[in-house]
Amino acid sequence: MSPPFSSGIYVSRGVALLLAGLTAVLLLALVVLAALYGSCAHVQSSELDSHLVKDTSLSPPGGQEWTQPTPAHESTVGTSQDWRPPSGPWDHLRLPPWLVPLHYDLELWPRLQPDNLSTPSLTFTGRVNITVRCTVATSTLLLHSFFLNYKQVEVWGPLAPDTRNATVGRVPLENVWFALDMQYVVLDLGQSLDPGSSYELNFDFSGQVLQEGSEGLFLNLYTDEDQLRALIATQMEPTFARHVFPCFDEPALKATFNITIIHHPGYVALSNMPQLGQSHRIDVNGSRWTVTSFHTTPRMPTYLVALVICDFDYVSRTERGKEIRVWARKDDIADGYLDFAANHTGPVFSFLEDLFNISYPLPKTDIIALPTFVNGAMENWGLMIFDASLLLELDDDLPEKRAMILSILSHEVGHQWFGNLVTMSWWNNIWLNEGFASYFEVGLTNYFYPKVPRNMIFFLTVLHDILEDDHSLESRAVSTPVENFTETREINRLFDIYTYKKGACMAWMLAGFLSQHLFINALKSYLETFSYSNAEQDDLWRHIQMAIDEQSIIHLPATVKRIMDSWTHQSGFPVITLNASTGVVKQEPFYLERVENQTLLSHNSTWIVPIFWMKNGITQPLVWLDKSSMIFPGMKLSDSDSDWVILNFNVTGYYRVNYDKLGWKKLNQQLEKDPKAIPVINRLQLVSDAFALSKNNYIEIETALDLTKYIAKEDEILVWFEVLVNLINREVVYDVKNYYLYPLLKKYFLKRLNSIWTIYSAIIRENMASLQDNFLSLLPLKKFFETACWLGLEDCLQLSRELFRKWMAHPETAIPPQIEKVVLCNAIALGSNKDWDFLFNLYINKTEEQEDLFHLVHAMGCSKDPRTLNRFMEYDITVFPSRFNETNLIEVVAESEVGRYVAKDFLINNWVAVYERYGPQSLNTLVSILGRTVSTDQQVMELQQFLSTVLEEHQRIVAHAKLQEMKAENLKNKKRIARVVEWLRKNT
């Protein structure tokens, strides 16, 4: 969204000439009005006769023009740009409740023509008639508008009941002006509107189609059937409808829409509803245009209004009597890339219809895959818009890609109920849309992949990421008071990991302590009650409370509202610590790099925590921790070797778990004795929690390391993955100067790897298809394979050589894509110059997708020969344009153990050429490459002296700060690694 521009008075040339001829009295009145409305466009209203009969024609009328300032249209007439309007409702983010929209008749006419795609700026015109009901007597009307120009504005009414198109009077209009900060167009009327009466607001407007990005009405240029083509599409969420037409652009202000699109006859027009009819219109140049109208929509917010003008093809399916069309470029349709999405969309709809017992209300669904769509996907009712990730290309037909497409589809289809049918009242509760759509996306993925446990899908795709990101100091609450925002763009920032993933965790936790049956029944009641309307967070809590009150099995320690408000109204999450010697359980906020006696920053930092737990392999009844500390006698452990307890059983709670020394010791003993007694999801949780707590000073690193002693008995690759990413990460791999660590890690892990390596090496060699139904097992395969080879497992290295040689000899014999990057890297690291030259020749001659090039680039950077690496970097800074212009090859080289030092020296010796090649925007990356090798003040000083000779002063300040930051991080890692080394010596 563009920033607001300075305000001023904006008038058309005609109005300026008219004013020049008026009397001195009128000129004096104009000065007074200008002082009152500094950013307004004064509208001379003598021609607006309230006794005139309303013109109901949709053809563009003549009249005055009011132009909202845009970057291309600066004010040249009027008073000082520094003048401001007096304070009023236009200073607030929320519209005043004076008008309620009932219906929009919207006509849009983008001037896109297939034979004229070189136009520097594409314009559109439009007309909208908005039927509104007045609730408070007012002579000032506010609507949202941003960068729209107005040819004519009229207000008609009051309308007779049930006769919206009846002949009525025109309400005198004195001024039209723009409050740019909050993106309003303001109408000053000559008389007040009557409460309880309905009126019609008519706007004849124009604007520009966005050439880049996806806000409002935007353009895509692309190639199809070897021709340059174009399309127009919309993205209205959250506040971009006002870029396309004047409207009441708030989610609670739902209305019905009759949409008409005027377009070139060579294009098809799509909108939320099925086509109603078509006619033709001749423009002033004699060109013929098609006028496509659509059926009336259900009541919906402006952010769901959608249209697409394109010449795509589609594939069609029918589900329960309703047509589903999936649109894309003709080439993509002909190649069958949309068949997977088309075949699965209907079953996703049916699954959710059956789950909620509420039918999808629209008569059709169009799904379109745009070549470029910054937002990724949008759930518009009846016309869902996606980017190219919806395509399943034949050479990318992998289980992971299928699961991703199902996930994206499921999320947007989930919005048809959570967001479209029932919409949050205001953006502070956007998590009611996104969080629940993310929650049901997991359930649907499990439906299509029943062999993959639902809790594992949730942990690895949702919970793991948000626990890494959320903490009590810098994150935000799920429910954020948007009313305090100072500008509209801040609403955009709510579409983040907290809304999507933490919101999903709130739903996951609710379903956990309520039971799935009770949870779904409560959601059914909520959806039925607020269908075609709006709801707030408290409405959901109330319906869940009603479901609880109607049964006698589930009992809660407080109301649903009190429990869930403790989670949604404060940032972060708790660490739950069990003292197994006493049975005392306490909670405290999770902090990054916790320090001793850290004070709580929030006056309300206690959560009401549901704790499912298991003792000695037996699931225990749910307990609640609703104070900072409580005693649960059943959690106290004896000295018996078979006595152990684990909290957050099945990982339904949104928190991490810590134990005292006795609790961790008992869990270690049980893992070494019989790990299968602890469910795999909790084995994964134990490793994840222990390493996260150790990194942030809640427990010692040795406590986390002790958990890995049993790992030879672990046959779940996902648990192995969690161990490996925490122990053999980039900091460890880069620390080649620590000669003690590598041999100890090698000795510790190689003998423990044998069992699981035997399983997965056989799968790689013989039957990768056996993992088709378990896409989660494919995700950690790359890390597992990479680590085995890095540790020097001979069979891993041999397998890499085998796969590489077969591929060299027979390129059609593809390396399994999950490990292709690792295989190529190992082959080059172990291979000859001939192998490197083979990849280099492929690289400079390859014409396929850039991702394929990246695998080659990464592999060539794995060479251990400094001369070869220097040759590669020299090529990149001397050959222009580069084959892989978006990737910094020096950064790629610096990823390897040897390459980091070679890259540093090359960078210092060729700074000017490198800096010219990658530009000023690369400075942070280049400094990071240098900083990977520093851990002492002397090393920092040497680099600072070098940078002082090549950077300007403001750049030096930033670069020096970055080096100090990296030095501190490197030192911290070295201290941690030193403790790992000491532990390995004792346990290897």
Side-chain angles (χ1 to χ4, degrees):
M1 180 184 300
S2 301
F5 286 81
S6 301
S7 55
I9 296 180
Y10 297 88
V11 296
S12 68
R13 183 178 299 274
V15 173
L17 293 173
L18 179 62
L19 290 175
L22 293 179
T23 63
V25 174
L26 289 176
L27 288 173
L28 179 60
L30 176 59
V31 172
V32 172
L33 286 171
L36 289 174
Y37 303 107
S39 68
C40 74
H42 185 72
V43 178
Q44 189 72 340
S45 59
S46 60
E47 67 182 33
L48 302 182
D49 185 348
S50 63
H51 301 292
L52 292 177
V53 176
K54 178 190 172 200
D55 176 13
T56 60
S57 169
L58 283 177
S59 59
Q64 300 296 327
E65 295 188 16
W66 301 284
T67 301
Q68 187 163 357
T70 69
H73 189 107
E74 297 294 335
S75 172
T76 55
V77 181
T79 59
S80 168
Q81 294 289 299
D82 295 330
W83 285 17
R84 310 290 297 173
S87 61
W90 41 83
D91 296 322
H92 303 289
L93 189 65
R94 301 292 299 270
L95 283 164
W98 305 335
L99 298 179
V100 177
L102 305 176
H103 180 77
Y104 293 76
D105 280 310
L106 174 63
E107 176 187 281
L108 290 172
W109 189 348
R111 299 308 202 273
L112 177 65
Q113 300 183 67
D115 54 352
N116 187 21
L117 301 182
S118 59
T119 306
S121 63
L122 190 64
T123 62
F124 68 92
T125 57
R127 297 200 65 193
V128 64
N129 302 333
I130 312 173
T131 305
V132 300
R133 183 177 67 252
C134 178
T135 60
V136 177
T138 178
S139 60
T140 302
L141 311 185
L142 273 72
L143 290 85
H144 287 108
S145 174
F146 198 59
F147 291 164
L148 294 175
N149 303 323
Y150 292 88
K151 184 176 183 181
Q152 183 159 311
V153 181
E154 298 174 337
V155 179
W156 295 85
L159 306 179
D162 302 323
T163 55
R164 190 167 54 84
N165 291 321
T167 298
V168 293
R170 180 187 291 177
V171 179
L173 176 62
E174 294 185 348
N175 292 286
V176 176
W177 57 280
F178 302 97
L180 292 177
D181 288 346
M182 293 300 171
Q183 303 177 0
Y184 292 129
V185 57
V186 184
L187 279 60
D188 290 327
L189 306 180
Q191 66 187 49
S192 293
L193 303 185
D194 298 328
S197 296
S198 294
Y199 295 83
E200 190 167 279
L201 316 180
N202 296 347
F203 297 88
D204 180 10
F205 57 92
S206 63
Q208 287 195 345
V209 177
L210 191 67
Q211 304 289 309
E212 296 180 0
S214 301
E215 296 179 2
L217 201 63
F218 64 90
L219 180 74
N220 260 198
L221 289 174
Y222 63 97
T223 301
D224 192 13
E225 296 180 325
D226 297 323
Q227 292 183 0
L228 179 65
R229 306 197 182 197
L231 63 81
I232 284 177
T234 54
Q235 170 62 23
M236 306 298 199
E237 190 182 33
T239 57
F240 304 135
R242 65 194 66 175
H243 293 218
V244 182
F245 60 100
C247 57
F248 297 87
D249 201 12
E250 293 186 2
L253 298 178
K254 289 187 171 183
T256 55
F257 290 80
N258 278 113
I259 296 173
T260 299
I261 302 173
I262 305 175
H263 56 95
H264 188 276
Y267 291 119
V268 63
L270 305 173
S271 188
N272 304 85
M273 296 298 287
Q275 180 178 308
L276 175 63
Q278 283 191 332
S279 59
H280 298 282
R281 184 173 299 179
I282 307 298
D283 66 16
V284 294
N285 298 318
S287 299
R288 184 182 179 90
W289 297 79
T290 298
V291 181
T292 302
S293 60
F294 299 88
H295 285 272
T296 306
T297 71
R299 292 185 71 243
M300 65 182 196
T302 49
Y303 80 79
L304 291 178
V305 171
L307 68 91
V308 174
I309 300 172
C310 66
D311 63 350
F312 277 5
D313 275 350
Y314 67 89
V315 289
S316 178
R317 302 290 187 271
T318 300
E319 184 78 9
R320 295 182 175 178
K322 294 182 179 180
E323 185 178 25
I324 297 172
R325 298 183 298 183
V326 183
W327 299 76
R329 298 183 307 168
K330 292 179 171 64
D331 284 340
D332 295 329
I333 294 293
D335 290 337
Y337 294 165
L338 271 297
D339 290 349
F340 180 81
N343 292 336
H344 287 81
T345 301
V348 171
F349 270 101
S350 294
F351 177 93
L352 293 174
E353 284 184 332
D354 294 341
L355 185 67
F356 303 134
N357 196 28
I358 299 175
S359 296
Y360 175 66
L362 271 64
K364 65 91 179 178
T365 297
D366 283 312
I367 293 173
I368 188 162
L370 304 184
T372 304
F373 186 46
V374 174
N375 299 72
M378 180 59 200
E379 67 267 18
N380 309 302
W381 229 352
L383 178 53
M384 290 184 279
I385 297 178
F386 296 82
D387 65 10
S389 63
L390 200 64
L391 278 60
L392 184 66
E393 300 182 17
L394 300 181
D395 58 355
D396 196 22
D397 189 0
L398 305 172
E400 311 96 292
K401 182 62 182 290
R402 288 170 173 256
M404 185 198 74
I405 294 174
L406 282 171
S407 178
I408 296 169
L409 271 173
S410 298
H411 185 96
E412 303 311 325
V413 175
H415 274 309
Q416 309 308 301
W417 287 266
F418 288 92
N420 298 8
L421 185 65
V422 178
T423 310
M424 74 279 151
S425 294
W426 183 237
W427 297 109
N428 60 312
N429 283 321
I430 183 60
W431 81 270
L432 293 176
N433 284 20
E434 301 297 349
F436 277 87
S438 297
Y439 170 81
F440 285 107
E441 144 190 353
V442 171
L444 278 154
T445 304
N446 176 239
Y447 171 72
F448 288 105
Y449 288 91
K451 291 185 179 180
V452 186
R454 190 164 175 263
N455 56 11
M456 294 291 282
I457 298 174
F458 188 83
F459 185 91
L460 289 160
T461 63
V462 179
L463 183 60
H464 191 277
D465 288 346
I466 185 62
L467 286 177
E468 290 291 318
D469 197 78
D470 195 13
H471 53 94
S472 292
L473 289 181
E474 297 178 8
S475 62
R476 68 170 182 85
V478 170
S479 182
T480 301
V482 183
E483 286 81 358
N484 297 336
F485 286 0
T486 58
E487 55 184 20
T488 306
R489 72 178 63 196
E490 294 183 73
I491 294 173
N492 265 326
R493 298 176 189 146
L494 295 176
F495 291 80
D496 59 14
I497 192 172
Y498 305 108
T499 289
Y500 286 79
K501 295 199 172 184
K502 189 170 182 177
C505 289
M506 298 299 98
W508 180 259
M509 188 163 58
L510 271 166
F513 69 73
L514 292 175
S515 80
Q516 187 74 6
H517 175 73
L518 187 62
F519 180 57
I520 295 300
N521 282 344
L523 292 183
K524 288 178 182 177
S525 172
Y526 166 79
L527 291 172
E528 289 169 356
T529 301
F530 296 100
S531 290
Y532 306 104
S533 186
N534 297 79
E536 299 180 358
Q537 181 174 278
D538 284 354
D539 296 318
L540 177 60
W541 305 156
R542 188 170 63 254
H543 278 263
I544 295 175
Q545 190 67 53
M546 288 164 51
I548 291 171
D549 294 343
E550 291 171 358
Q551 52 84 57
S552 58
I553 298 175
I554 305 295
H555 300 280
L556 303 180
T559 64
V560 173
K561 173 176 169 55
R562 185 163 167 255
I563 292 169
M564 294 309 299
D565 281 357
S566 77
W567 294 92
T568 61
H569 286 313
Q570 61 180 331
S571 61
F573 60 86
V575 175
I576 308 302
T577 302
L578 167 64
N579 186 322
S581 301
T582 63
V584 172
V585 179
K586 70 173 185 178
Q587 62 168 293
E588 60 179 310
F590 176 80
Y591 294 103
L592 291 182
E593 300 190 17
R594 170 179 175 260
V595 297
E596 289 295 326
N597 302 317
Q598 189 150 21
T599 57
L600 305 182
L601 300 184
S602 170
H603 64 85
N604 178 26
S605 54
T606 300
W607 292 263
I608 302 178
V609 186
I611 302 178
F612 285 99
W613 56 298
M614 171 182 277
K615 187 172 185 179
N616 303 333
I618 301 173
T619 306
Q620 305 295 313
L622 170 69
V623 297
W624 289 87
L625 178 65
D626 56 1
K627 299 180 179 63
S628 59
S629 179
M630 294 176 66
I631 298 176
F632 298 98
M635 296 182 185
K636 184 177 178 179
L637 297 181
S638 68
D639 293 333
S640 169
D641 289 341
S642 60
D643 215 14
W644 56 275
V645 66
I646 190 166
L647 306 189
N648 203 7
F649 174 71
N650 207 25
V651 196
T652 59
Y654 184 64
Y655 49 86
R656 291 200 184 274
V657 181
N658 192 10
Y659 303 88
D660 68 343
K661 290 184 178 179
L662 178 62
W664 285 115
K665 177 184 175 182
K666 293 287 188 176
L667 286 168
N668 287 332
Q669 290 174 344
Q670 181 57 42
L671 286 171
E672 292 189 60
K673 177 182 176 182
D674 179 16
K676 295 297 179 69
I678 300 175
V680 62
I681 185 67
N682 285 105
R683 303 201 301 272
L684 186 58
Q685 169 223 7
L686 280 172
V687 175
S688 176
D689 282 356
F691 278 101
L693 293 171
S694 72
K695 288 176 184 175
N696 293 288
N697 305 323
Y698 286 86
I699 62 175
E700 304 295 336
I701 179 61
E702 292 81 2
T703 302
L705 292 169
D706 285 341
L707 280 179
T708 69
K709 290 179 179 179
Y710 89 98
I711 199 70
K713 299 179 181 179
E714 181 59 72
D715 60 2
E716 175 53 66
I717 194 172
L718 291 163
V719 181
W720 266 97
F721 174 76
E722 191 67 24
V723 170
L724 296 178
V725 296
N726 279 287
L727 266 181
I728 305 179
N729 48 39
R730 191 171 80 171
E731 288 74 25
V732 170
V733 173
Y734 282 170
D735 195 21
V736 293
K737 281 194 172 181
N738 194 329
Y739 302 109
Y740 303 107
L741 177 62
Y742 178 77
L744 290 169
L745 281 173
K746 181 173 182 176
K747 188 174 182 181
Y748 183 76
F749 274 115
L750 281 187
K751 63 181 179 180
R752 290 169 169 82
L753 267 170
N754 284 331
S755 178
I756 192 167
W757 172 258
T758 300
I759 296 171
Y760 280 92
S761 62
I763 289 174
I764 293 169
R765 282 186 166 101
E766 301 167 9
N767 189 18
M768 283 291 288
S770 64
L771 298 179
Q772 292 289 317
D773 295 331
N774 189 353
F775 72 95
L776 279 186
S777 293
L778 291 165
L779 299 180
L781 193 59
K782 172 181 174 290
K783 178 64 179 179
F784 180 70
F785 192 91
E786 180 181 49
T787 303
C789 288
W790 182 77
L791 291 170
L793 184 65
E794 182 54 40
D795 191 50
C796 182
L797 299 174
Q798 180 59 33
L799 180 53
S800 293
R801 284 189 286 258
E802 286 177 15
L803 294 171
F804 182 72
R805 296 297 178 198
K806 287 181 181 178
W807 176 67
M808 281 184 69
H810 306 285
E812 70 279 3
T813 308
I815 301 169
Q818 293 83 7
I819 58 172
E820 179 185 5
K821 183 178 176 182
V822 181
V823 167
L824 295 178
C825 182
N826 287 329
I828 293 301
L830 300 169
S832 63
N833 288 338
K834 179 181 177 181
D835 296 326
W836 195 93
D837 289 339
F838 174 79
L839 289 192
F840 184 72
N841 288 327
L842 279 180
Y843 167 68
I844 62 176
N845 293 305
K846 203 164 179 62
T847 59
E848 297 181 18
E849 294 299 321
Q850 283 198 339
E851 188 171 346
D852 296 325
L853 284 175
F854 179 74
H855 280 179
L856 299 180
V857 170
H858 176 268
M860 287 185 286
C862 294
S863 172
K864 294 183 178 181
D865 179 6
R867 289 173 300 178
T868 298
L869 294 176
N870 273 289
R871 169 190 168 196
F872 192 28
M873 293 184 287
E874 183 73 27
Y875 169 84
D876 191 54
I877 65 171
T878 56
V879 176
F880 188 83
S882 169
R883 293 294 331 281
F884 202 56
N885 203 45
E886 298 303 316
T887 294
N888 187 323
L889 293 191
I890 301 175
E891 184 179 21
V892 172
V893 169
E895 289 180 4
S896 72
E897 303 162 46
V898 176
R900 63 194 294 223
Y901 293 98
V902 177
K904 173 196 168 185
D905 292 341
F906 182 86
L907 188 52
I908 290 174
N909 295 328
N910 299 275
W911 179 270
V912 174
V914 171
Y915 197 69
E916 288 180 356
R917 162 71 177 85
Y918 294 114
Q921 68 275 10
S922 68
L923 178 61
N924 191 60
T925 299
L926 298 179
V927 173
S928 295
I929 294 170
L930 296 173
R932 288 178 181 178
T933 63
V934 301
S935 58
T936 67
D937 289 331
Q938 178 64 31
Q939 290 170 331
V940 171
M941 286 179 59
E942 290 173 358
L943 288 179
Q944 285 178 340
Q945 290 173 357
F946 164 71
L947 291 172
S948 296
T949 65
V950 295
L951 297 179
E952 297 178 5
E953 183 177 357
H954 69 283
Q955 294 174 317
R956 289 199 298 269
I957 295 172
V958 175
H960 293 176
K962 179 69 175 177
L963 287 175
Q964 290 290 350
E965 176 190 331
M966 294 189 72
K967 185 198 80 170
E969 187 68 21
N970 292 344
L971 281 173
K972 186 179 73 173
N973 290 330
K974 284 184 178 295
K975 291 178 181 178
R976 182 179 176 87
I977 289 171
R979 295 182 67 171
V980 173
V981 167
E982 188 61 30
W983 184 90
L984 286 169
R985 282 176 174 158
K986 294 177 180 178
N987 291 278
T988 300

